[in-house]
Amino acid sequence: MAAAIAATEAGLKPLVIDENAAAGGQIYRRSPPALRGDRRSPRSSPNGAKAALLQRFDSHRDRVELLTGTTAWAVFPPRRLAVTDGTSSKTIEPEHLVLATGAYEYLPPFPGWTLPGVMTPGGAQAMVKTMHVRPGRRAVVAGTGPFLLVVAEQLRRAGMEVAGVVELAGTHEAIVALPGLLQHPTLLWEGMRLLYRLRRAGIPVHRGQVLIEARGNGEVQEAVVAPCDNAGQPDRSRARTLAVDTICAGYGFVPRTALAQLAGCKLRFEEALGGWVPEVNSDLQTSVPGVWVAGDGGGVAGAVVAELQGTLVGLAVAHDQGALTQAAFRSRREPIVRRLRRMEHFRDVLDRLHRIRPGLVDLASAETVACRCEEVTRSEIEIGIAAGATDLRTLKVMTRLGMGPCQGNMCWPATSRLLAARTGKPVEAVGPSGVRPPIVPLCLGALCPTGPGQPEEDSP
Amino acid sequence: VSASPDVIVVGGGVIGCAVAFELARRSVRVMLLDKSLPGRATSASAGGLWPVGEAVGLGCGVIYHASRKEVDPSDAANAVGPTPLPDVFRDFLIASNALFAPLAGELKEQTGIDIEFAPGAGLLFLVFDERERCFAESVCRSLPPGLRLDYLSPHEVRQVEPRLTGKLLGAALLTGEHQVNPMLLAEAFKRAAVKHGCVFRPDTRTTALRRSGDRVVGVEVGQQFYSCGTVVNAAGSWAGRLAATIGLELPVEPVRGQIVLTETLPKILNACLSSASCYLAQKAHGEVLIGSTTEHAGFDVSVTPEAIGALCRGAVQAVPMLRHVRIKRTWAGLRPGTPDELPILGAVKGVSGYFNAAGGFRTGVVASPLTGRVVAQVVCGEQPCVNVVPFSQDRFAASNGSAITPHSSTPAGAAVSEP
C-alpha cells in the first residue's frame, strides 16, 4: 500500500494485486464484509495509529487499480507476472514489478506439533482479528519475539484465557538488550505497554524457556515447557506441563521470496533478516532491473520498516519512470532513509535477542513429522542424511521431503538447519529451497479457457 | 587419498550412474564425478519405459512432430507422426527395457531403493481424429512379427481407462510399456556402484578433459586435475561442451522439455497415455506427470506460460476430470539431443582413453541399463552384448574425416562455460 501511495502521489497509476478480499495484508488485515461490525463476536481492538495507512490507501483508491482476490502464481523472467482468481489465469507484464510479499512464520518441528490445536501465533491472530473466532479456551503462546506478546494480548482481549507466554530469550539477555532498544523509544514503549497489560491480566511471561512438546489425545491437552540455556537447549529434567487446548508457537518469520526467485533475483543469506533474501541496492531494486522488493519479503524487519521501504520503492519507481525529478526524489528519499537507518540498530538488537538458536534443531523426536505435506518423519531424514543425502536434491529424491504442495516452504527452513548441523556446513552453504511455478495451488482448468473457439470437453 | 582411478565417469545422471554401476561390479576402480546443474534430464524425465512407443514416435516424438507441423502446414496432410527410428535402436531399447524387471529386484536388494518399476496396462496412444487414426494404423502395420500394437475401439478404450474422454475415435495400446522413477533409478545405480567400490564425488564440476597426444589422461575440475586411464563422457546435455575441450565434435544439443506435475491423486490411470499434444503418466505417489515440450532453447530451463497452458489443455482434453485437479509444480529439463535422435556410445576413432555414453535424448531412462552394460563392456575391452557400431560418434565424422581436430591440445583452464 505504501509503495502504491507514493507512486500515485508522484502521478503514476499503479496496479495493486492482493490475494485477500481487501488490501491490508497481514498487519492491516480486514474482516470479510459479512463479519464487519458484528459486535457480538470476539475481536481485538482496531489500532488507531496503524489504521492511518489504510485510510491513506483508501483515499487514493480512485488513482490505483486494485485487483483483490487475485494471487500471483508465477513470475516468468524477467517481469511477466501470472495471476489467477481461482478459475482463470492471465499474465501481466509491467515495466516495474514491486514485490511486497511479506513473510511467513518459522516453526521448527517438535513432538506433537501436528496435533489439532497447535497453530502459529499469526494463525491464531487471523482467527480472532479477521474471522472473529476464538481458536480455543485456554492458550499458551510460545516461541520467540515481540509478536508473541501482541498475540497473547489479542487472544486475551478476544476472551481467551492465556496460560502464559514462553519466550526463548532469557531475562538476562532481555535486560542487556534494553539500552539498545531505547534507540526506538516508541516501539520500546509499545512493547512495555503490552507487557504491562499482560501482567495486569495475570498472564506470566516465562523467559529463557522453550516449548518442547504438545500432548493430547487427538487434540492438544497439554503443553510441555522446559527452561533452556542460551543455545536453546532445554533442561528436560525441569520440564513441566500446562493444561491448554491451544498452542500458538512461532520463532520469528521467513521472508517469502518465491516470486523474486522465479524472477531470477539473486539471493543472499542473512540470518537476522529471516534467512534467504533478495540482494538489493540502496533503493531496494533487486539484481533484476525493474524488480523491486519492499517489506518483510525482502528481509523481516516489521511493519514500520515495511511501510518506509514501500514508500521508498514507490518514489524510486516514480523517479525511474521520470515522474519525479532527481531533486524531488532526493528530498523525499532523504528523511525515509534516515528513519530506516535509525531502525537498523534497534532491529539488530531485537534480532539478536530473538535469534534462532541451535537447540531448536533437536526438539523433534524420531517420530516427529518434519515434512507435513509428504509426512516425512525426522528419523527418515536422519537415515537419508546418514546414507549420503547431504544436499536438498538428493534428500528430496530419497525421502520425498519438500515434494508436496508447499514445495518445502514449511519444512526447508528447519531441515536446512538440521542438514547444516549434521554436515558441519553453514546454513547458507546448504542453500535455499528451489521454487517452481505455481507457487500457490492452481487448477489445470485455470489454464484451459472454455467458451467459443475452444475445444469442447466432456462434462466430468 | 587412494591411487588414481582406472576410469572416471563424468556426469551423475541416470546414464553416468548406470555406467559407473556396471564398471564397479566388474571390479574396475571407477570414480563418478557429478555436478547437479539446473535442467538435468534425469530430474525431468517422466520415467516412461516405452521402448517401442518411443521408437515409433509415440510420446515426445509425436508431440515434436505436431509442433513442427504448425510451422510447415504442407507437411500435415500426410502424417501425424514422425518416421520411426531405425530398427537397430528399437531393438536396443527393447533389450534394455527387458532388463528392468530383474534390475528392480537386484537394486532393491543391494541398496534398499525401490525404483518404482510399475507394470501397468501399457502405453495408450489416443486417437482424436482421422489423421491420427491413419498414423496409429500405419504404426501397427510397421511393427515386425512379435510386437503388437492393438487398435482399440472407443468402448474398449474406456474399459482400459475409464477416466478418458468420450470424444476418442479409438486408441492404440502397446502392452508391456511401463514406467519407473528416474531419480530413484539413478540414485539406486549410484548407491550400488558405491557399494561395489565406486568413489562418488558430488558437487564436482568437470570443467575440461585433458589429453596428451591422442590419449585422454584425465579431467580438470577447476584448478584440480584428476588423472585416470579412461574417461567416460556421460555429461548429458553438457557432453558436447565437455568433448569440445579436447577438440572433439560431439553433436549433442539440449532439447528442452517442460512438464507439469499434478497434486497427489488416488489411482486414476491404469496406462501411460500419449497424444499429439502431451503424454500422461501417473507416478507411484499418485501425481500425474504431464509432458512435454521439445524445444531448442539452449540451456535455458525456464518454463513458459504458453507451453504449460498447452500441456494442461492437452491433458484436460484427454482426461476431463483433470480440469479440477491442482498443479503441484512445473519445471523443465534438457534432453541431450542428437541430430539423428540416436545415442552416441563407445569409442571414438583417433582418440584413446575416451568413451561416450551420451545423447540419451528422450530415451535415456529406458536405455540406461543396456547403455551402462555395453559402455562398461567396451571400456573393459569385452565384446559388447549388442552391436554398438551404429551408435558410434564416428557416424557423424564419416564425411569430414577424423573426429579429432589435429592441433587441439586444450589450453589449461579452458572451461565448459556456464549455461
Side-chain angles (χ1 to χ4, degrees):
Chain A
M1 291 190 292
I5 292 168
T8 305
E9 286 176 346
L12 302 182
K13 190 170 163 96
L15 167 65
V16 175
I17 297 168
D18 197 306
E19 62 185 347
N20 293 311
Q26 303 289 342
I27 305 286
Y28 311 109
R29 192 187 274 277
R30 301 188 229 208
S31 303
L35 288 177
R36 282 182 209 155
D38 180 356
R39 290 173 188 283
R40 289 162 305 170
S41 52
R43 61 192 311 173
S44 63
S45 77
N47 188 323
K50 285 183 176 176
L53 181 65
L54 275 184
Q55 279 169 11
R56 279 179 64 213
F57 184 74
D58 287 346
S59 73
H60 286 75
R61 267 295 281 114
D62 55 334
R63 281 171 293 162
V64 174
E65 198 183 331
L66 178 62
L67 270 183
T68 54
T70 304
T71 308
W73 62 268
V75 177
F76 297 98
R79 290 186 306 276
R80 200 161 155 215
L81 191 70
V83 298
T84 178
D85 59 2
T87 54
S88 67
S89 169
K90 63 174 176 180
T91 61
I92 300 165
E93 194 158 10
E95 279 176 74
H96 296 272
L97 176 62
V98 178
L99 301 173
T101 48
Y104 60 98
E105 290 167 290
Y106 178 56
L107 182 54
F110 60 91
W113 76 312
T114 54
L115 276 177
V118 179
M119 62 193 75
T120 59
Q125 183 190 51
M127 284 171 88
V128 294
K129 214 162 111 177
T130 316
M131 304 311 290
H132 304 184
V133 175
R134 293 180 201 101
R137 288 196 186 82
R138 187 174 148 87
V140 63
V141 185
T144 194
F147 186 54
L148 302 183
L149 305 177
V150 175
V151 172
E153 167 64 7
Q154 283 170 335
L155 293 179
R156 182 194 69 78
R157 272 174 185 269
M160 276 185 78
E161 200 185 327
V162 180
V165 175
V166 178
E167 165 61 58
L168 191 60
T171 312
H172 180 70
E173 278 185 87
I175 292 169
V176 170
L178 263 179
L181 296 177
L182 271 169
Q183 293 279 329
H184 204 298
T186 335
L187 285 178
L188 180 61
W189 172 243
E190 232 175 82
M192 289 302 189
R193 216 172 47 172
L194 266 174
L195 280 170
Y196 172 72
R197 285 204 188 131
L198 293 176
R199 193 182 178 142
R200 203 180 50 182
I203 298 171
V205 177
H206 307 288
R207 295 183 190 278
Q209 304 211 12
V210 60
L211 170 74
I212 57 173
E213 190 179 349
R215 282 188 197 150
N217 191 5
E219 59 187 357
V220 169
Q221 287 159 330
E222 282 178 348
V224 186
V225 172
C228 62
D229 62 15
N230 279 352
Q233 286 293 350
D235 177 356
R236 289 170 190 275
S237 66
R238 289 161 65 204
R240 64 207 169 82
T241 60
L242 300 169
V244 291
D245 63 4
T246 305
I247 293 175
C248 307
Y251 292 82
F253 298 85
V254 181
R256 274 186 204 283
T257 55
L259 290 176
Q261 282 176 268
L262 288 178
C265 302
K266 279 191 197 136
L267 299 189
R268 68 192 173 96
F269 188 84
E270 190 69 64
E271 184 75 83
L273 294 177
W276 292 95
V277 294
E279 279 182 20
V280 289
N281 67 12
S282 57
D283 288 333
L284 305 176
Q285 187 164 201
T286 66
S287 62
V288 179
V291 178
W292 312 70
V293 60
D296 286 351
V300 176
V304 175
V305 171
E307 189 175 333
L308 290 169
Q309 287 186 340
T311 306
L312 176 58
V313 168
L315 294 172
V317 168
H319 173 239
D320 208 278
Q321 285 291 88
L324 275 184
T325 62
Q326 179 74 17
F329 175 51
R330 275 215 187 131
S331 73
R332 290 188 204 179
R333 182 183 186 278
E334 198 44 46
I336 297 167
V337 170
R338 246 194 336 262
R339 288 179 64 195
L340 278 170
R341 206 169 293 140
R342 210 166 39 150
M343 284 296 293
E344 248 168 52
H345 185 63
F346 176 82
R347 289 296 324 178
D348 280 352
V349 175
L350 203 62
D351 291 336
R352 194 171 147 66
L353 180 62
H354 297 297
R355 67 189 182 275
I356 303 304
R357 297 170 196 239
L360 297 176
V361 162
D362 290 316
L363 290 181
S365 67
E367 311 81 51
T368 305
V369 169
C371 164
R372 300 172 81 132
C373 299
E374 296 292 326
E375 297 184 340
V376 182
T377 63
R378 173 58 168 266
S379 68
E380 288 174 276
I381 295 175
E382 298 274 13
I383 290 167
I385 295 174
T390 52
D391 63 282
L392 169 62
R393 190 183 59 84
T394 315
L395 199 58
K396 274 169 101 167
V397 172
M398 295 306 299
T399 65
R400 290 189 61 77
L401 171 114
M403 299 276 257
C406 93
Q407 299 194 17
N409 262 347
M410 286 293 289
C411 61
W412 187 242
T415 309
S416 61
R417 288 171 201 279
L418 171 68
L419 203 50
R422 293 291 179 271
T423 56
K425 293 185 211 169
V427 188
E428 51 266 46
V430 174
S433 78
V435 178
R436 284 162 170 176
I439 61 164
V440 292
L442 179 74
C443 287
L444 272 81
L447 300 179
C448 307
T450 47
Q454 301 297 333
E456 280 182 42
E457 292 158 24
D458 314 6
S459 46
Chain B
V1 180
S2 57
S4 58
D6 300 328
V7 181
I8 285 179
V9 178
V10 181
V14 69
I15 296 290
C17 291
V19 172
F21 167 63
E22 290 287 347
L23 286 169
R25 78 201 304 204
R26 284 169 172 75
S27 304
V28 175
R29 286 182 309 139
V30 57
M31 183 185 270
L32 176 61
L33 305 184
D34 182 46
K35 172 74 188 172
S36 183
L37 295 171
R40 70 153 62 197
T42 300
S43 309
S45 159
L49 304 179
W50 309 327
V52 181
E54 286 291 3
V56 299
L58 305 183
C60 284
V62 67
I63 301 167
Y64 187 36
H65 192 81
S67 71
R68 288 199 302 187
K69 178 187 72 184
E70 284 168 16
V71 182
D72 180 14
S74 65
D75 195 26
N78 300 326
V80 171
T83 34
L85 297 177
D87 291 354
V88 60
F89 185 52
R90 183 194 63 209
D91 295 340
F92 184 98
L93 294 178
I94 291 171
S96 189
N97 186 48
L99 299 175
F100 271 95
L103 184 68
E106 191 184 343
L107 290 175
K108 171 90 188 166
E109 194 181 303
Q110 291 187 19
T111 67
I113 294 174
D114 176 4
I115 62 169
E116 295 170 3
F117 173 65
L123 177 66
L124 203 54
F125 175 71
L126 308 180
V127 172
F128 285 94
D129 61 31
E130 275 306 316
R131 287 182 309 119
E132 288 166 1
R133 194 176 59 79
C134 291
F135 169 64
E137 284 176 353
S138 80
V139 169
C140 290
R141 282 193 301 271
S142 76
L143 290 179
L147 292 178
R148 265 184 57 203
L149 187 133
D150 299 314
Y151 194 84
L152 308 184
S153 71
H155 175 72
E156 290 166 325
V157 177
R158 295 269 271 209
Q159 284 188 325
V160 176
E161 206 64 280
R163 308 271 184 181
L164 279 173
T165 169
K167 302 223 152 101
L168 290 172
L169 293 188
L173 177 65
L174 272 165
T175 49
E177 309 251 303
H178 305 311
Q179 55 172 318
V180 73
N181 182 323
M183 290 177 291
L184 287 175
L185 174 64
E187 189 65 28
F189 273 137
K190 187 177 89 192
R191 295 266 169 103
V194 168
K195 230 174 168 176
H196 288 287
C198 166
V199 176
F200 174 61
R201 291 251 190 281
D203 241 352
T204 304
R205 179 154 193 191
T206 305
T207 43
L209 306 180
R210 191 185 289 179
R211 56 182 271 225
S212 163
D214 284 343
R215 194 165 180 85
V216 173
V217 294
V219 309
E220 291 168 14
V221 175
Q223 299 301 312
Q224 274 182 294
F225 175 67
Y226 291 67
S227 143
C228 64
T230 302
V231 172
V232 176
N233 182 352
S237 284
W238 296 267
R241 290 182 168 193
L242 189 65
T245 64
I246 50 165
L248 275 180
E249 227 175 275
L250 180 66
V252 176
E253 286 292 333
V255 180
R256 182 168 73 182
Q258 301 186 38
I259 47 186
V260 172
L261 189 77
T262 72
E263 63 185 314
T264 295
L265 300 171
K267 189 164 173 59
I268 60 160
L269 297 179
N270 301 311
C272 301
L273 309 179
S274 156
S275 77
S277 47
C278 68
Y279 58 76
L280 298 100
Q282 187 167 24
K283 304 307 292 179
H285 291 270
E287 301 116 326
V288 175
L289 192 148
I290 304 160
S292 169
T293 58
T294 43
E295 307 159 81
H296 292 277
F299 286 90
D300 179 359
V301 291
S302 316
V303 292
T304 60
E306 292 76 18
I308 294 169
L311 291 172
C312 289
R313 286 192 291 280
V316 168
Q317 186 196 16
V319 186
M321 64 147 321
L322 288 176
R323 170 174 286 282
H324 307 284
V325 164
R326 288 166 174 177
I327 302 168
K328 188 145 83 178
R329 54 182 183 269
T330 61
W331 70 103
L334 303 173
R335 304 177 192 83
T338 61
D340 56 7
E341 304 186 27
L342 302 184
I344 304 173
L345 308 177
V348 180
K349 202 187 285 176
V351 53
S352 61
Y354 174 88
F355 294 87
N356 285 310
F361 197 35
R362 49 189 160 86
T363 50
V365 172
V366 62
S368 63
L370 190 57
T371 302
R373 191 169 293 183
V374 296
V375 170
Q377 285 165 335
V378 293
V379 167
C380 295
E382 297 169 24
Q383 179 68 28
C385 59
V386 298
N387 181 14
V388 292
V389 172
F391 309 118
S392 159
Q393 182 179 338
D394 301 331
R395 70 185 187 268
F396 302 108
S399 51
N400 46 359
S402 166
I404 197 156
T405 46
H407 50 279
S408 55
S409 68
T410 311
V416 180
S417 57
E418 204 73 39

